[in-house]
Amino acid sequence: MILKIMQLVNMNLINLIPLFPLIGAIYCFALRDRKPSVLCGVTASFMVFLSFVSAMSAAFVLSGIAPEGGKECALASHNFTWISAGDMKIGCDLIFDRLTAVMLFVVTFVGMLIHIYSIGYMIHDRDFNRFFAYLNLFVFFMIILVMAKNLILMFVGWEGVGLCSYLLISFWWADQANAAAGKKAFITNRVGDFAFLAGSFILYWLYRSGGFETGFDFIKFAENFKALSAALPSSGGVIIVDLVCVLLFFGACGKSAQIPLYVWLPDAMAGPTPVSALIHAATMVTAGVYMCVRMGFLFAASATALTIIAVTGVLTAVFAAVIAMAQTDIKKVLAYSTVSQLGFMFIAVGCGAFASAIFHLATHAFFKSLLFLAAGSVIHALSGEQNIMKMGGLRGKIPGTSAVFFTGVYAISGLPLMSGFFSKDEILLYSLAGPHSSLIFYVLASFASLLTAVYMHRLLFLVFYGEFRGEQKKF
């Protein structure tokens, strides 16, 4: 009886995590035609806070469950059967394990802070209420992506964050550049999404041809893969696994802005600054990394795919860092920095260091969000100016922003005692001495890390030090 009660409590607790932002989105959308209301922003922020509390409560419950038979503990919730076709049944099922707990902490906590920041940043916009409806809806879909127990439900969240990114990037749609940036992000992501779907269907066929019942369920995939892989070499199926992994990774390239599908992210800076912080630092762009780690049992079986992932990550990290060196738009520097840091995460995945990839994902979410929000403060202080060549000497004008921006620069540069130092150090370690390491990966990753420190300090000194190079009337 007690066990049934605990299962019921756990199920309801898990379901509450995505429910709160959905309620907030519906409430704010109902008020979309009303004049801007602080209450709308507060409600949206509070809903994300409730999701954070629910997620941390679920993590506390999870920590008290002892593992059995060497299997990882997880809380699961089966709500209803969503798709039933023959013997294939796909449920609207949610899962909460250690990986989910880390991701939800990042999504809900950072998301909550960005919501609060957005109240002051967007209060003068006539579409204030609609903006918060989109923000809450985005968080809802991101939570679905993270908590999905099967690939098809994950794809719903995957497409949902793509839709919301389009709505938020082109939020000021009357501006042609903003509308074009939103369309570019949406279309580029569709290319990767097609590869994601193709890989998912081939994976399902592979399992069904092996006589395994899956329903696209992650747990069943992982449990059956060892038995399935034993028969793969004789049937030539290893090549199929390689193909599936490459297709799934190409899908991840779209969401996580890797070569060649990185082109949408720099243009996405056309949206409001809080959107840049939420989508392009803490949530959407990390979806590809999360998917690769969630399917880690599959990627670990394909040395070819891991090599492709590592090479792509290294090239992206260096390429984007070089571009960032020459940027003059404060948000574009941070955008290319995001592309470069995502490259580091994929270096970790390609070298077999899945935990290190999630570690850097979490640290990056915090210091990059901090940098974007501080950049928004600078832009507001200069009445919309984003050209760093027209800044300078702002340390004395906005000392608080200067201090937090310095903290973010220190962290992302990987200097000692800050979070970026530890997460980057692990990635460099595994790129040199990991299961799929290479000296070339280590050298290029180290070079990209050095470039990060150079272009971030260039940004810091041009904005906050020296003499002011803009129009004095702006102060």
Side-chain angles (χ1 to χ4, degrees), residues 385-406:
E385 181 61 67
Q386 295 185 199
N387 189 341
I388 60 176
M389 296 305 174
K390 296 182 180 180
M391 300 180 189
L394 299 183
R395 184 177 57 164
K397 301 291 184 179
I398 43 176
T401 301
S402 174
V404 297
F405 199 90
F406 173 81

Side-chain angles (χ1 to χ4, degrees), residues 316-327 329-330 332-342 344 360 364 367-368 371 388 405 409 412-413 424 447-463:
T316 303
V318 175
F319 180 68
V322 171
I323 295 176
M325 294 282 291
Q327 294 300 306
D329 186 308
I330 186 171
K332 285 286 183 72
V333 176
L334 297 179
Y336 281 106
S337 171
T338 298
V339 176
S340 181
Q341 297 307 306
L342 289 166
F344 275 97
H360 193 56
H364 173 262
F367 55 64
K368 184 53 66 64
L371 288 167
I388 60 176
F405 199 90
V409 169
I412 195 174
S413 299
K424 279 190 178 182
F447 178 61
S449 186
L450 175 64
L451 288 180
T452 302
V454 174
Y455 69 70
M456 287 307 302
H457 280 84
R458 167 183 176 266
L459 177 63
L460 175 69
F461 288 119
L462 284 175
V463 173

